[in-house]
Amino acid sequence: MAVNETPLIKMLPINGVNIAVREQGQDNASGIPVLLVHGFPFDHSMWNRVFDEVGFEHHLRLIAPDLRGLGASSLPDGAGPTSMEQFADDLFAVLEVMNIRQKIVLCGLSMGGYVAMQYMQKYGDTVAKLVLCDTKTTADSPQVAENRRLQAQNLIDKPGFLSTVADTMLPNLFAAKTLTEKPDVVQEMRTLIESNNPRGAAAATLGMANRLDSTEYLKKLDIPVLVLCGSEDKLSPPAEMKKMANQAKKGEYIEIAESGHLPPVEQPTHFVHALRDLCFSCPRP
Ligand code: MLT
């Protein structure tokens, strides 16, 4: 994208909400569709460096929605928990509305990975290759689920509680070098968290607390699964992610040095290198 060019964001009415989608790349059959699913509590802009890095020359069609209730995507009044399945249904509808008929490369980071595993269970025949980035297939322990319920209540009850969420999350999100040498990146992610919709964040938090274990499903997948992990990820540590890669029949593990939980933000060049290699490896989508 040329400097200062505004990214193309579409608003798509889907399943009773408006879903914002950033799109870039070839919209014909020769562009490989790559669906990028963000983590919590972020939005599509956590992929901005990936869009910049890919540019237009690589025949990748990048599609990065804001999940319902997050970023610029809406949430119905009075909505309860947003299940990972609901997020997955929205993504499928986005691709339908965009008339994408080719098999996609599906890439989910952290909560986006939970959504991706739900997507695979319902719509797996539309996916050629899967990228699981800094995520897990296990469900929450009862204690973690309980903490999430408390957090969701605080998000609803206490104005500005997303700042508290940011205070707690940020030190655990990044590699040591990112924290010391890239304060702009850390600040950008703080702003992203704090400007999110508390109601949407609460709904997603409850949805994560309710999600089921998808490990057995991962073991059955018969497509290439790239497991990407920041070498300093404290939330989805390398040892756990290596195990996931071994559980998948066609799993591959790549560790990204000097990155914590957010390789597309902290090390976008290395992230895109791995993504591109997967997309152009045989069989091509
Ligand atoms: C994320 O980055 O999406 C979160 O760390 C996921 C989670 O809270 O489990």
Side-chain angles (χ1 to χ4, degrees):
M1 189 171 66
V3 178
N4 293 333
E5 196 178 317
T6 313
L8 176 64
I9 313 280
K10 289 181 178 165
M11 266 298 178
L12 305 177
I14 272 163
N15 296 342
V17 294
N18 289 316
I19 298 288
V21 183
R22 179 171 181 190
E23 188 194 5
Q24 175 178 291
Q26 305 205 1
D27 63 358
N28 55 37
S30 68
I32 298 172
V34 181
L35 180 61
L36 299 166
V37 190
H38 64 78
F40 173 90
F42 309 119
D43 65 23
H44 78 271
S45 60
M46 61 150 283
W47 302 108
N48 280 351
R49 288 176 176 77
V50 173
F51 277 76
D52 292 345
E53 195 73 38
V54 167
F56 287 91
E57 73 268 37
H58 296 294
H59 303 286
L60 296 181
R61 182 180 184 187
L62 301 182
I63 301 154
D66 289 348
L67 295 170
R68 68 165 58 202
L70 297 166
S73 293
S74 63
L75 189 71
D77 287 342
T82 310
S83 65
M84 302 299 108
E85 185 179 1
Q86 177 66 67
F87 284 140
D89 289 345
D90 292 345
L91 294 176
F92 181 72
V94 163
L95 297 180
E96 287 228 305
V97 168
M98 292 176 73
N99 202 26
I100 290 170
R101 299 279 170 246
Q102 238 180 307
K103 287 200 176 193
I104 62 166
V105 174
L106 174 60
C107 171
L109 182 140
S110 200
M111 182 180 77
Y114 313 157
V115 177
M117 287 307 293
Q118 274 301 315
Y119 189 100
M120 290 306 304
Q121 291 183 51
K122 272 185 103 164
Y123 308 112
D125 56 352
T126 67
V127 179
K129 299 176 184 183
L130 176 65
V131 185
L132 295 173
C133 188
D134 298 82
T135 187
K136 45 176 94 83
T137 53
T138 48
D140 284 350
S141 66
Q143 185 58 56
V144 171
E146 193 45 42
N147 292 345
R148 289 208 205 265
R149 291 191 186 100
L150 187 64
Q151 172 170 290
Q153 199 56 51
N154 283 329
L155 282 164
I156 298 298
D157 292 344
K158 300 184 181 168
F161 193 74
L162 275 166
S163 294
T164 309
V165 173
D167 291 342
T168 313
M169 280 189 89
L170 287 171
N172 294 318
L173 278 184
F174 298 108
K177 210 166 173 179
T178 310
L179 285 169
T180 53
E181 294 181 13
K182 298 180 185 166
D184 51 325
V185 168
V186 178
Q187 181 55 42
E188 185 186 313
M189 297 316 282
R190 171 179 284 282
T191 306
L192 182 49
I193 294 172
E194 289 178 342
S195 58
N196 228 323
N197 174 352
R199 223 165 51 81
T205 301
L206 293 173
M208 286 193 283
N210 294 343
R211 78 187 191 282
L212 301 176
D213 191 302
S214 57
T215 310
E216 289 310 308
Y217 191 77
L218 173 69
K219 290 180 187 169
K220 290 189 190 136
L221 289 181
D222 203 20
I223 58 168
V225 178
L226 173 60
V227 177
L228 278 180
C229 186
S231 60
E232 296 176 45
D233 188 345
K234 300 183 192 77
L235 305 178
S236 315
E240 283 176 28
M241 295 223 57
K242 258 182 222 162
K243 194 169 146 194
M244 277 168 55
N246 288 331
Q247 285 167 330
K249 283 184 198 159
K250 296 180 183 166
E252 184 192 0
Y253 176 78
I254 294 184
E255 198 163 294
I256 301 195
E258 295 184 349
S259 178
H261 192 56
L262 301 176
V265 177
E266 299 179 78
Q267 297 293 345
T269 306
H270 295 299
F271 176 87
V272 167
H273 189 84
L275 178 67
R276 204 184 276 143
D277 278 357
L278 176 77
C279 289
F280 293 109
S281 67
C282 287
R284 290 267 298 267

Short mmCIF file of all heavy atoms in Angstrom, two decimals, residues 116-139:
data_model
loop_
_atom_site.label_atom_id
_atom_site.label_comp_id
_atom_site.label_asym_id
_atom_site.label_seq_id
_atom_site.Cartn_x
_atom_site.Cartn_y
_atom_site.Cartn_z
N ALA A 116 -10.99 -20.37 15.00
CA ALA A 116 -10.59 -21.15 13.82
C ALA A 116 -10.91 -22.63 14.02
O ALA A 116 -11.37 -23.31 13.09
CB ALA A 116 -9.10 -20.96 13.55
N MET A 117 -10.70 -23.15 15.24
CA MET A 117 -11.00 -24.57 15.46
C MET A 117 -12.50 -24.83 15.37
O MET A 117 -12.94 -25.87 14.89
CB MET A 117 -10.45 -25.02 16.83
CG MET A 117 -8.94 -25.16 16.86
SD MET A 117 -8.26 -26.21 15.54
CE MET A 117 -8.90 -27.82 15.97
N GLN A 118 -13.32 -23.88 15.80
CA GLN A 118 -14.78 -24.00 15.62
C GLN A 118 -15.13 -23.95 14.14
O GLN A 118 -15.98 -24.70 13.67
CB GLN A 118 -15.51 -22.86 16.34
CG GLN A 118 -15.77 -23.13 17.79
CD GLN A 118 -16.62 -24.38 17.99
OE1 GLN A 118 -17.62 -24.58 17.30
NE2 GLN A 118 -16.21 -25.22 18.90
N TYR A 119 -14.48 -23.04 13.43
CA TYR A 119 -14.72 -22.90 11.99
C TYR A 119 -14.40 -24.24 11.30
O TYR A 119 -15.16 -24.72 10.45
CB TYR A 119 -13.84 -21.77 11.43
CG TYR A 119 -14.16 -21.40 10.01
CD1 TYR A 119 -14.95 -20.28 9.73
CD2 TYR A 119 -13.69 -22.16 8.95
CE1 TYR A 119 -15.26 -19.94 8.43
CE2 TYR A 119 -14.00 -21.83 7.65
CZ TYR A 119 -14.78 -20.71 7.39
OH TYR A 119 -15.09 -20.38 6.09
N MET A 120 -13.27 -24.84 11.69
CA MET A 120 -12.88 -26.12 11.07
C MET A 120 -13.96 -27.18 11.30
O MET A 120 -14.25 -27.97 10.41
CB MET A 120 -11.55 -26.61 11.66
CG MET A 120 -10.34 -25.79 11.29
SD MET A 120 -10.08 -25.58 9.52
CE MET A 120 -10.04 -27.27 8.94
N GLN A 121 -14.53 -27.18 12.51
CA GLN A 121 -15.50 -28.23 12.82
C GLN A 121 -16.77 -28.09 11.99
O GLN A 121 -17.40 -29.07 11.63
CB GLN A 121 -15.82 -28.23 14.31
CG GLN A 121 -14.61 -28.70 15.10
CD GLN A 121 -14.85 -28.79 16.59
OE1 GLN A 121 -15.81 -29.40 17.03
NE2 GLN A 121 -13.97 -28.19 17.37
N LYS A 122 -17.15 -26.86 11.67
CA LYS A 122 -18.39 -26.65 10.90
C LYS A 122 -18.17 -26.47 9.42
O LYS A 122 -18.99 -26.87 8.61
CB LYS A 122 -19.11 -25.39 11.43
CG LYS A 122 -20.04 -25.68 12.58
CD LYS A 122 -20.81 -24.45 12.99
CE LYS A 122 -22.24 -24.49 12.49
NZ LYS A 122 -23.06 -23.48 13.22
N TYR A 123 -17.07 -25.82 9.07
CA TYR A 123 -16.88 -25.41 7.67
C TYR A 123 -15.53 -25.88 7.14
O TYR A 123 -14.95 -25.26 6.24
CB TYR A 123 -16.97 -23.88 7.55
CG TYR A 123 -18.21 -23.29 8.19
CD1 TYR A 123 -18.13 -22.50 9.34
CD2 TYR A 123 -19.47 -23.53 7.65
CE1 TYR A 123 -19.27 -21.96 9.93
CE2 TYR A 123 -20.62 -23.00 8.24
CZ TYR A 123 -20.50 -22.22 9.38
OH TYR A 123 -21.65 -21.70 9.96
N GLY A 124 -15.02 -26.96 7.72
CA GLY A 124 -13.66 -27.42 7.39
C GLY A 124 -13.44 -27.69 5.92
O GLY A 124 -12.32 -27.57 5.42
N ASP A 125 -14.52 -28.05 5.20
CA ASP A 125 -14.32 -28.36 3.78
C ASP A 125 -14.05 -27.11 2.94
O ASP A 125 -13.79 -27.22 1.74
CB ASP A 125 -15.50 -29.17 3.22
CG ASP A 125 -16.83 -28.46 3.41
OD1 ASP A 125 -16.85 -27.42 4.10
OD2 ASP A 125 -17.85 -28.93 2.86
N THR A 126 -14.11 -25.93 3.54
CA THR A 126 -13.78 -24.70 2.80
C THR A 126 -12.34 -24.25 3.09
O THR A 126 -11.92 -23.19 2.63
CB THR A 126 -14.73 -23.53 3.18
OG1 THR A 126 -14.48 -23.16 4.55
CG2 THR A 126 -16.19 -23.90 3.02
N VAL A 127 -11.61 -25.05 3.85
CA VAL A 127 -10.25 -24.64 4.28
C VAL A 127 -9.19 -25.56 3.67
O VAL A 127 -9.28 -26.79 3.79
CB VAL A 127 -10.14 -24.66 5.83
CG1 VAL A 127 -8.74 -24.25 6.28
CG2 VAL A 127 -11.19 -23.73 6.45
N ALA A 128 -8.19 -24.96 3.03
CA ALA A 128 -7.10 -25.75 2.44
C ALA A 128 -5.97 -25.95 3.44
O ALA A 128 -5.34 -27.01 3.49
CB ALA A 128 -6.56 -25.05 1.20
N LYS A 129 -5.68 -24.92 4.23
CA LYS A 129 -4.56 -24.98 5.18
C LYS A 129 -4.92 -24.14 6.40
O LYS A 129 -5.64 -23.14 6.27
CB LYS A 129 -3.28 -24.43 4.54
CG LYS A 129 -2.85 -25.23 3.31
CD LYS A 129 -1.64 -24.64 2.62
CE LYS A 129 -1.34 -25.44 1.37
NZ LYS A 129 -0.14 -25.00 0.66
N LEU A 130 -4.38 -24.56 7.54
CA LEU A 130 -4.73 -23.90 8.79
C LEU A 130 -3.46 -23.39 9.48
O LEU A 130 -2.45 -24.10 9.52
CB LEU A 130 -5.44 -24.92 9.70
CG LEU A 130 -5.82 -24.48 11.11
CD1 LEU A 130 -6.88 -23.37 11.08
CD2 LEU A 130 -6.37 -25.68 11.90
N VAL A 131 -3.53 -22.16 9.99
CA VAL A 131 -2.43 -21.63 10.81
C VAL A 131 -2.97 -21.37 12.21
O VAL A 131 -3.93 -20.61 12.38
CB VAL A 131 -1.88 -20.30 10.24
CG1 VAL A 131 -0.66 -19.85 11.05
CG2 VAL A 131 -1.54 -20.43 8.76
N LEU A 132 -2.36 -22.01 13.19
CA LEU A 132 -2.73 -21.78 14.58
C LEU A 132 -1.57 -21.02 15.22
O LEU A 132 -0.46 -21.55 15.35
CB LEU A 132 -2.98 -23.11 15.30
CG LEU A 132 -4.19 -23.90 14.77
CD1 LEU A 132 -4.25 -25.28 15.41
CD2 LEU A 132 -5.49 -23.14 15.00
N CYS A 133 -1.84 -19.77 15.57
CA CYS A 133 -0.77 -18.89 16.03
C CYS A 133 -0.99 -18.57 17.51
O CYS A 133 -2.05 -18.04 17.87
CB CYS A 133 -0.81 -17.62 15.18
SG CYS A 133 0.57 -16.53 15.45
N ASP A 134 -0.04 -18.93 18.35
CA ASP A 134 -0.08 -18.55 19.77
C ASP A 134 -1.47 -18.76 20.37
O ASP A 134 -2.12 -17.82 20.85
CB ASP A 134 0.40 -17.10 19.92
CG ASP A 134 1.85 -16.97 19.45
OD1 ASP A 134 2.06 -16.85 18.23
OD2 ASP A 134 2.75 -17.06 20.28
N THR A 135 -1.89 -20.02 20.32
CA THR A 135 -3.24 -20.36 20.78
C THR A 135 -3.22 -21.70 21.49
O THR A 135 -2.14 -22.25 21.75
CB THR A 135 -4.21 -20.35 19.57
OG1 THR A 135 -5.54 -20.51 20.02
CG2 THR A 135 -3.88 -21.42 18.55
N LYS A 136 -4.36 -22.24 21.78
CA LYS A 136 -4.42 -23.58 22.38
C LYS A 136 -5.72 -24.25 21.96
O LYS A 136 -6.68 -23.56 21.56
CB LYS A 136 -4.30 -23.51 23.91
CG LYS A 136 -5.15 -22.43 24.59
CD LYS A 136 -5.05 -22.50 26.11
CE LYS A 136 -4.00 -21.59 26.69
NZ LYS A 136 -4.41 -20.19 26.89
N THR A 137 -5.75 -25.58 22.07
CA THR A 137 -6.98 -26.31 21.75
C THR A 137 -7.68 -26.77 23.03
O THR A 137 -8.78 -27.29 22.96
CB THR A 137 -6.69 -27.54 20.87
OG1 THR A 137 -5.68 -28.31 21.51
CG2 THR A 137 -6.24 -27.13 19.48
N THR A 138 -7.04 -26.58 24.16
CA THR A 138 -7.66 -27.00 25.42
C THR A 138 -8.70 -25.97 25.87
O THR A 138 -8.62 -24.79 25.49
CB THR A 138 -6.58 -27.13 26.52
OG1 THR A 138 -5.77 -25.96 26.50
CG2 THR A 138 -5.69 -28.34 26.28
N ALA A 139 -9.65 -26.43 26.69
CA ALA A 139 -10.66 -25.51 27.25
C ALA A 139 -10.06 -24.83 28.48
O ALA A 139 -8.97 -25.19 28.95
CB ALA A 139 -11.90 -26.31 27.64
#
